[in-house]
Structures are given as structure tokens and as C-alpha cells.
Amino acid sequence: MDWIDRFAGLSQLEDSLRNTLVSKSQIVNMPKKTVLFGPGNSPENLLLLLEGVVRVQQVTEGGREIVLYRVHAGESCVLTTACLLAYENYAAEGIAETDVKAVAIPRIVFDDLVAGSKSFRNFVFSTYSRRITDLFHVIEEIAFQKVDIRLAHKLVELAGADHKLSATHAQLAAELGTAREVISRQLQEFQRRGWVTTARGAVTLTDRSALETLSEAG
């Protein structure tokens, strides 16, 4: 089994195309906090993640960060796919949240396979469409869902088995696409209710079930 079998859509490729993809691609390793791409850069490769997590975020003119999505092992980056297909530069940045191991498929190989292989084309567009749907959910949440519900959901999602998470108010604000002051006020309210306790750069869930109930209200 080679890395292709980590991606369901690629396992359907003909042997000759599998061999081409393996021989012309490269395994790359990048340490945590590496900036993989940024606004104005042109993508040279499609990255398929084998290990680690990549955070894709946008920074507004006012300097506020908004997390768009994360790429996990077994996934590719929809923004990179879109930029490769349209020959556009990136409008957001991708940062390695952990050490990352990925397959780098050069643009020329990507272009040839999209043009000549129905199986590869199906893989590209099916993963693209799934991630676009996820992005619409993010937009819908930012536009219509109350911050307290979204924050409760994010705290439950990010907290470990010990009910703790390491995150500043600014980082949580970036996750939810809102202002730090909004997060600070909401955390104060959660603390008043006895649901969390906060410290510098950390939050502890003291009533996880209450947060889960609120997060499901949306």
C-alpha cells in the first residue's frame, strides 16, 4: 500500500496513473507554525495531507483573523484546489498547527491529470464540493447563529479529555470570526453561570454538559 490508498478517490486510478502520480510527486515534511501559503502567493503544488493539521485563515484589513477551516490527514486544501484551477493567487494563509507530512503534487502533474483522467477529476471536484459546503456552513454560522451558541460549541470541540483548552480570547475570536471583546464578555457570562473558569491563555470547562446543551440549541 502506498500513500495513494490513504485517499479513497485516488485508489480508483488506473495503475499507470498511480505510478505517474507517485513518481512525479514528493513527500514533504514541515514543522509546526510553518506558513505554507499566504495572500498574493501562487500555488505550485496541490498538497494532500498525510499527517498533521493545517489551519486556513483570513486576516481582515483591520488585522482580525478569521479561521475558515482546517485540513486534516486524508484531506486536501480547497483553496489551493480553487487557485490551481483558476490560476489565481491565494487570498488567505495556511499555517501548520502541528508538524505536517504531505504529498506535494506539482501544478503541471495536477493540470495533466485533471485534463486526462476522469477518476482524478472526480476526486478533485468531489473533495472540492464537500469543502465548499463546509465553508457555507461557516458563513451561515457567522451571519445567523448567536455567539454564545457558537462559543459553547467551539469550547466543547476544542477541550481535551481533561476539559481544558489552551487558547487566548483573541484565538477564540479568530475561530468564530468575531471580536476579542465579544468573546471576553461571553466567557465572563459563562463563568458567572459556573460553566467555565478562565486563566491567562486557558479555559477549563466546569460544566461541560451545560455547554453541550447550549451548543445544540442552534
Side-chain angles (χ1 to χ4, degrees):
M1 179 183 292
D2 54 42
W3 60 261
I4 285 183
D5 295 301
R6 298 278 300 276
F7 302 88
L10 295 182
S11 63
Q12 308 302 315
L13 288 177
E14 301 87 340
D15 287 344
S16 60
L17 293 179
R18 287 170 64 109
N19 293 336
T20 296
L21 199 52
V22 171
S23 64
K24 294 188 176 181
S25 300
Q26 182 180 3
I27 304 295
V28 294
N29 294 279
M30 292 156 287
K32 181 179 179 180
K33 297 185 179 180
T34 299
V35 177
L36 306 182
F37 55 80
N41 298 150
S42 175
E44 299 302 327
N45 301 279
L46 175 67
L47 291 181
L48 304 181
L49 219 59
L50 297 174
E51 297 175 9
V53 180
V54 175
R55 181 178 74 253
V56 180
Q57 64 184 29
Q58 195 159 27
V59 181
T60 68
E61 290 184 1
R64 180 189 300 175
E65 296 177 352
I66 301 176
V67 176
L68 301 177
Y69 58 89
R70 285 178 170 82
V71 185
H72 296 86
E75 298 177 344
S76 59
C77 174
V78 66
L79 181 59
T80 300
T81 302
C83 292
L84 285 168
L85 290 170
Y87 284 83
E88 296 283 350
N89 292 337
Y90 286 107
E93 61 182 2
I95 301 172
E97 283 198 327
T98 65
D99 292 343
V100 165
K101 182 178 182 179
V103 179
I105 302 174
R107 177 192 283 275
I108 188 171
V109 177
F110 174 86
D111 287 346
D112 287 346
L113 289 177
V114 166
S117 169
K118 180 180 178 180
S119 297
F120 186 79
R121 196 160 55 246
N122 287 342
F123 165 76
V124 168
F125 285 106
S126 63
T127 55
Y128 181 82
S129 62
R130 285 196 301 271
R131 183 59 75 180
I132 287 294
T133 300
D134 292 342
L135 281 175
F136 275 116
H137 287 317
V138 171
I139 295 169
E140 182 180 13
E141 287 179 356
I142 292 174
F144 302 114
Q145 200 171 67
K146 294 174 64 178
V147 171
D148 59 344
I149 294 174
R150 296 172 56 222
L151 179 57
H153 182 271
K154 185 59 64 175
L155 292 174
V156 170
E157 177 188 331
L158 296 180
D162 59 356
H163 306 299
K164 296 181 180 180
L165 62 145
S166 297
T168 65
H169 293 192
Q171 288 170 331
L172 289 171
E175 292 285 343
L176 299 180
T178 189
R180 180 186 59 79
E181 294 79 9
V182 173
I183 296 300
S184 297
R185 287 196 299 269
Q186 195 60 62
L187 284 174
Q188 288 174 0
E189 176 60 21
F190 285 174
Q191 186 161 274
R192 186 190 67 79
R193 298 181 190 181
W195 295 357
V196 303
T197 58
T198 62
R200 183 179 294 275
V203 180
T204 300
L205 312 191
T206 50
D207 192 342
R208 188 172 192 138
S209 62
L211 291 166
E212 288 173 342
T213 299
L214 177 59
S215 72
E216 293 167 0

